Amino acid sequence: MGDVFACAGCGAVLTATLSRVALPVHAHHRYGHEMLPALMEPGTYAVDPEPFGPPWRPWSEVGADEAEARGVFAPVHSLSFGAPGGIVVAPGDTRGTDLLPERCDGCCMGVDGRDGPNLACVRCGRPVATRIDDCSLWQAVRLAPESVRRLPAEDPAGRTVDREAPAEEWRGTPPIEPPGRWSPRWEAAAGAALAHLLAVSAGTPVVVPDGLVTDMFGRALETLLPPGPSRPPAKRAALAGPGLPAPDPAPDIALVPRHPRTGKAWQPPGTAATVPLAADVWTHLAFHRERLLVPVSGGMPDGVFRDDPLPPYPNQLFRPDWDVFLHTLARLPAVRQPWLRGIYDRSAFLSRSSHGS
């Protein structure tokens, strides 16, 4: 079974048949100065639990107590007081809507939703959704939860994500994109996971596995959790999850996947603390194996490939997305601990400085 969304005013159908999946970890991610692809896969939708859109109120006006009541535990520039629970879909999955020209402001090359809902139901004219397609933003349509109704549909046409599919069959995202840049999805996933990793570290240095995991977290952990003479022994982190053998010895911290459909983090047996990773990134880390590349002539043994084309290599060091890191850390109650709040404040200051504000 799938779902369609209809106008709450007149009942007109506004979307194709869709299957619910987890909200991508890069949903609140800005990247570069370019046109980005759609946030959601065709035939899917997600629900964003956070408020979205105007009105916006600055931190100085909101204050710490009201912000904590809204799930934000450290200072941010401003908070949305729009409705939570927006339904996020790919622009190509919308039906029967028209743009409202007077609400189509943006920063550069498209619309960014600053004026509130900018799509109206064709049948009755009710504002029902916000189209976002400006540069640096993942393209999406956000259906206003108070303006639409969810209806069950038969024979879903959209792609579904099997709740029972084994993890080995989940779709992985390669870490490097042409012409050699790190995937923005990986940078965003690393930023979110780094916030959780710091929270469960209790301020103790953390050792992560060699390879891509070290590329993702190693330099940031060394900077944010430097070893010192009074520090306890480092905690050990390891990948864990469905389809993988249990780590031996058991790690202090388990890097686990968020289920691609439900968004819930996999829970390992034992007492290890968990750090959730986006399912597509975790899947690549857990199951992708680089092919063996050796120059050969004549016939080739099984499992050996020619070294042309070469596998992709990055043209710069990996850097977790700092905005996603700060966004995630500000919403973790652990950030109220003085040592972690200190890391947050220093990181926020450096982020503002790098953005020229």
Side-chain angles (χ1 to χ4, degrees):
M1 295 292 289
D3 299 310
V4 297
F5 291 88
C7 175
C10 68
V13 172
L14 301 176
T15 70
T17 302
L18 307 172
S19 297
R20 183 170 178 174
V21 297
L23 183 72
V25 71
H26 54 284
H28 300 279
H29 173 226
R30 291 173 175 265
Y31 184 81
H33 180 62
E34 60 186 87
M35 303 303 293
L36 296 178
L39 173 67
M40 303 300 300
E41 293 287 338
T44 68
Y45 76 95
V47 177
D48 188 349
E50 293 193 22
F52 172 80
W56 294 85
R57 292 171 57 188
W59 177 264
S60 59
E61 180 182 318
V62 176
D65 292 341
E66 186 173 0
E68 286 197 12
R70 301 175 68 84
V72 180
F73 303 96
V76 295
H77 180 266
S78 59
L79 286 175
S80 168
F81 276 72
I87 298 96
V88 189
V89 306
D93 282 330
T94 58
R95 306 288 187 268
T97 61
D98 269 342
L99 280 169
L100 297 169
E102 67 275 13
R103 296 186 179 182
C104 287
D105 280 347
C107 290
C108 185
M109 301 172 68
V111 294
D112 60 11
R114 67 178 64 187
D115 299 315
N118 56 24
L119 290 176
C121 172
V122 168
R123 181 186 293 178
C124 69
R126 178 189 182 104
V128 292
T130 303
R131 170 73 184 258
I132 297 172
D133 57 16
D134 208 349
C135 65
S136 82
L137 302 174
W138 298 87
Q139 296 190 38
V141 169
R142 290 175 171 265
L143 302 171
E146 71 278 7
S147 299
V148 299
R149 291 184 291 118
R150 181 177 63 87
L151 305 173
E154 297 180 358
D155 295 326
R159 181 182 65 84
T160 61
V161 180
D162 186 356
R163 188 184 303 270
E164 304 302 329
E168 294 91 332
E169 297 180 9
W170 293 352
R171 180 185 299 180
T173 295
I176 302 168
E177 298 181 351
R181 71 176 186 182
W182 290 100
S183 164
R185 293 173 182 261
W186 275 65
E187 293 175 349
L194 178 62
H196 288 275
L197 194 53
L198 289 179
V200 301
S201 74
T204 300
V206 176
V207 176
V208 295
D210 292 335
L212 275 174
V213 182
T214 293
D215 291 336
M216 293 176 69
F217 302 115
R219 291 194 308 131
L221 289 172
E222 289 176 359
T223 300
L224 299 173
L225 296 173
S230 60
R231 293 289 182 93
K235 293 184 177 180
R236 190 174 66 87
L239 288 172
L244 290 182
D248 186 21
D252 304 294
I253 300 170
L255 305 173
V256 302
R258 297 170 67 240
H259 195 284
R261 183 181 180 91
T262 66
K264 293 182 178 179
W266 185 81
Q267 294 300 312
T271 59
T274 58
V275 169
L277 266 172
D280 58 335
V281 171
W282 181 91
T283 299
H284 186 96
L285 290 170
F287 300 114
H288 181 76
R289 298 291 180 267
E290 293 292 345
R291 60 185 186 176
L292 178 61
L293 297 168
V294 294
V296 297
S297 59
M300 293 180 291
D302 291 340
V304 178
F305 296 81
R306 292 191 182 276
D307 58 352
D308 182 28
L310 292 172
Y313 288 97
N315 53 24
Q316 60 186 355
L317 294 174
F318 185 89
R319 183 179 184 272
D321 188 275
W322 227 239
D323 290 336
V324 176
F325 166 71
L326 292 170
H327 179 96
T328 306
L329 189 55
R331 287 155 179 80
L332 297 179
V335 78
R336 293 176 294 190
Q337 301 175 55
W339 70 270
L340 191 51
R341 175 62 184 273
I343 290 176
Y344 176 87
D345 289 342
R346 292 191 296 273
S347 300
F349 174 79
L350 292 174
S351 179
R352 290 193 299 270
S353 300
S354 67
H355 285 81
S357 59

